[in-house]
Amino acid sequence: MRALFGWLCWIEHLGRQLLSRIHSAFAHASAVLFKRRSRYGRRKPDHAAAATSHRHAPKPLWVRREIIRLKALCPDLGYRKLAHLFNRQFLVNRGMTVGKTFVSNVIRQHAYEIGVLRRKIKHRRPRSVPHNHVWAMDLTGKADA
């Protein structure tokens, strides 16, 4: 009777191990197939799948350039204000909107380009004004005789 009980315990132990391995394999497969959310509500990035598949068509290149330009012109604005500014400016004219996450990602990915563009804006030569186009007289430095 004891030998039979020992065999039953051993078989139960093997069954539990097998079930746990099957469960972990299916849990991993379902997480990969269905992209299960993590405990804190954010998806874990799957870089291989993200590089090959898109849910929607990517934004046009001019959208990224415009966000970079706006950030270079207004460096104090955050990604929320930039998204709002872009949407107000281009929703009616071109029918294009951007989300806060997209703007944040563009700013992070193109930080160097934003810095280069800021330096170009800061150091560019002023526009040339035609001669005798602006007339002015400064009398603040001259005293009466």
Side-chain angles (χ1 to χ4, degrees), residues 2-131:
R2 264 188 170 175
L4 181 63
F5 183 70
W7 277 100
L8 287 176
C9 288
W10 184 72
I11 291 174
E12 181 185 2
H13 176 71
L14 285 179
R16 284 186 182 174
Q17 279 188 342
L18 182 64
L19 282 176
S20 70
R21 287 185 181 178
I22 291 172
H23 175 71
S24 65
F26 277 117
H28 178 70
S30 68
V32 169
L33 292 175
F34 301 115
K35 293 192 180 183
R36 198 171 56 179
R37 290 180 180 256
S38 71
R39 184 188 318 184
Y40 302 105
R42 291 185 148 221
R43 287 187 183 155
K44 293 180 182 178
D46 185 12
H47 300 291
T52 57
S53 64
H54 295 286
R55 289 185 184 181
H56 306 288
K59 299 275 187 195
L61 189 59
W62 71 266
V63 173
R64 289 180 180 269
R65 286 187 187 144
E66 191 62 31
I67 290 172
I68 292 169
R69 188 185 73 83
L70 287 173
K71 182 63 177 177
L73 288 173
C74 310
D76 297 334
L77 295 182
Y79 66 93
R80 290 184 179 113
K81 293 280 187 178
L82 280 175
H84 182 67
L85 178 67
F86 183 92
N87 291 338
R88 284 188 60 194
Q89 191 170 3
F90 293 107
L91 176 63
V92 176
N93 296 344
R94 297 193 182 183
M96 182 63 66
T97 60
V98 293
K100 295 182 292 242
T101 306
F102 177 78
V103 173
S104 175
N105 290 339
V106 168
I107 290 171
R108 265 191 281 116
Q109 291 167 355
H110 300 282
Y112 179 74
E113 295 172 27
I114 291 170
V116 168
L117 188 58
R118 284 193 67 203
R119 280 190 293 279
K120 281 185 182 176
I121 290 171
K122 189 188 292 186
H123 296 301
R124 73 177 168 207
R125 299 177 83 187
R127 291 182 187 148
S128 61
V129 179
H131 293 293

